[in-house]
Amino acid sequence: MKKKSKLNKQFLDQTNPTIRLDLFTWPEVEEYLQHCKGIILPIGSTEQHGPTGAIGTDALTAQAVAHEVSKRTGVLVAPTQSYGMAEHHLGFAGTMSLRPTTLLALVHDLLISLAIHGFEKIFIVNGHGGNIATMKSAFSQAYRTISKMELLESKSFQCKLANWFMVPEVFKEAQSIYGDKEGQHATPSEIALTLYLEPMLLSKQFELPPPSPAGPIYDYKDFRERYFDGRMGSDPFLANARDGEKFLDKAADALSKNLLDFLKEA
Ligand code: NI
């Protein structure tokens, strides 16, 4: 039989508080590192989410899922990186984007900072599809830097990208509730989660005309022409807060299991 770790005992106990790096002191971080080398880093995006969705949707949702995962696992969570690679959304007011090279450099530097202190397992909870390619590139860049710096005694610095919206349990639930009206951007599932988190957003929900069908993504001018109001095949007015809570729960449960497995992985 496998030995139960301290982390496993806490698993799925949602009554624990979120353990936040921004509220720790440095001696507390040192103490934490004595028993756990893992940390959660939420990353989102600040970009249009159709005419009824909040600009901060991807950051709000990634942060909420990351905080729930921290409660369930006892793993420390870093402050949210709220800006991502959203170049193709710049045709819509309010979008603030980092170029892929900027995001790569930023994430690389954050990973190296964590490695210097002795963190070895970095679990990134991501809320935005447009970040995926750059995040993976940043991991490769960080691995190279770390091997050059000979920073780590254990030589086992590992990063894992966890896209909450691609969790199979979330995806299945979204398909069963919304079918093909889930679409690909400003989806009812992500909007539902924001309605659960921020009740003031309820007042902004109204029925919309049929969306442009989902298709390719090029530059922001092309995006605006193809997707007239920012949605890609989605009907976000189907979203409600009750379903949002369900999505949060399913994402946090599945990603907590993934994180605990990741921490045990050699
Ligand atoms: Ni989104």
Side-chain angles (χ1 to χ4, degrees):
M1 229 175 83
K2 277 185 188 168
K3 261 194 204 167
K4 277 202 171 174
S5 73
K6 191 178 171 189
L7 291 174
N8 283 27
K9 277 182 211 151
Q10 281 181 306
F11 182 44
L12 290 185
D13 185 352
Q14 299 165 45
T15 57
N16 288 320
T18 298
I19 307 177
R20 288 170 46 178
L21 178 69
D22 58 349
L23 301 181
F24 265 30
T25 61
W26 71 259
E28 286 169 334
V29 178
E30 276 196 351
E31 197 192 318
Y32 171 88
L33 279 161
Q34 298 298 311
H35 71 88
C36 183
K37 308 283 188 206
I39 189 162
I40 305 164
L41 172 61
I43 177 161
S45 182
T46 299
E47 66 182 46
Q48 70 86 12
H49 272 75
T52 63
I55 300 278
T57 295
D58 293 349
L60 292 167
T61 54
Q63 175 168 287
V65 173
H67 283 197
E68 284 299 313
V69 171
S70 172
K71 282 185 193 175
R72 287 159 160 80
T73 60
V75 175
L76 189 62
V77 61
T80 302
Q81 168 60 28
S82 294
Y83 300 101
M85 205 298 286
E87 294 292 289
H88 49 293
H89 293 296
L90 282 168
F92 295 90
T95 298
M96 296 168 74
S97 174
L98 300 177
R99 287 171 289 161
T101 46
T102 315
L103 180 62
L104 195 158
L106 183 149
V107 173
H108 168 271
D109 291 358
L110 297 180
L111 295 175
I112 300 307
S113 304
L114 293 171
I116 287 171
H117 307 312
F119 287 98
E120 293 179 357
K121 297 270 189 178
I122 320 299
F123 191 75
I124 286 141
V125 175
N126 177 36
H128 174 49
N131 290 338
I132 294 174
T134 308
M135 295 305 290
K136 289 188 174 167
S137 301
F139 296 171
S140 297
Q141 194 78 44
Y143 295 149
R144 171 167 277 252
T145 304
I146 286 163
S147 64
K148 269 202 290 197
M149 289 167 81
E150 290 173 0
L151 270 173
L152 304 169
E153 284 164 32
S154 68
K155 296 186 176 57
S156 65
F157 183 80
Q158 295 167 341
C159 305
K160 193 174 181 72
L161 187 62
N163 305 301
W164 78 263
F165 52 95
M166 286 164 72
V167 164
E169 290 81 354
V170 171
F171 188 78
K172 243 194 275 169
E173 184 75 10
Q175 286 304 313
S176 83
I177 304 175
Y178 312 121
D180 61 1
K181 293 174 191 275
E182 167 74 352
Q184 283 183 22
H185 182 66
T187 62
S189 57
E190 62 178 342
I191 301 302
L193 180 38
T194 65
L195 300 184
Y196 172 65
L197 299 171
E198 299 289 345
M200 59 86 69
L201 292 173
L202 282 168
S203 63
K204 297 185 186 175
Q205 303 306 301
F206 48 86
E207 195 155 340
L208 295 165
S212 305
I217 295 175
Y218 299 108
D219 77 349
Y220 70 85
K221 288 178 190 153
D222 180 85
F223 191 100
R224 175 110 199 204
E225 272 171 32
R226 281 176 200 273
Y227 311 108
F228 69 99
D229 67 357
R231 292 175 295 152
M232 297 174 74
S234 65
D235 280 333
F237 64 85
L238 298 172
N240 66 56
R242 201 166 12 93
D243 290 334
E245 186 180 13
K246 252 193 279 178
F247 291 125
L248 178 59
D249 202 47
K250 284 183 185 293
D253 267 358
L255 293 187
S256 296
K257 285 182 194 136
N258 291 354
L259 173 55
L260 293 175
D261 288 344
F262 176 51
L263 294 177
K264 279 185 263 173
E265 207 180 284

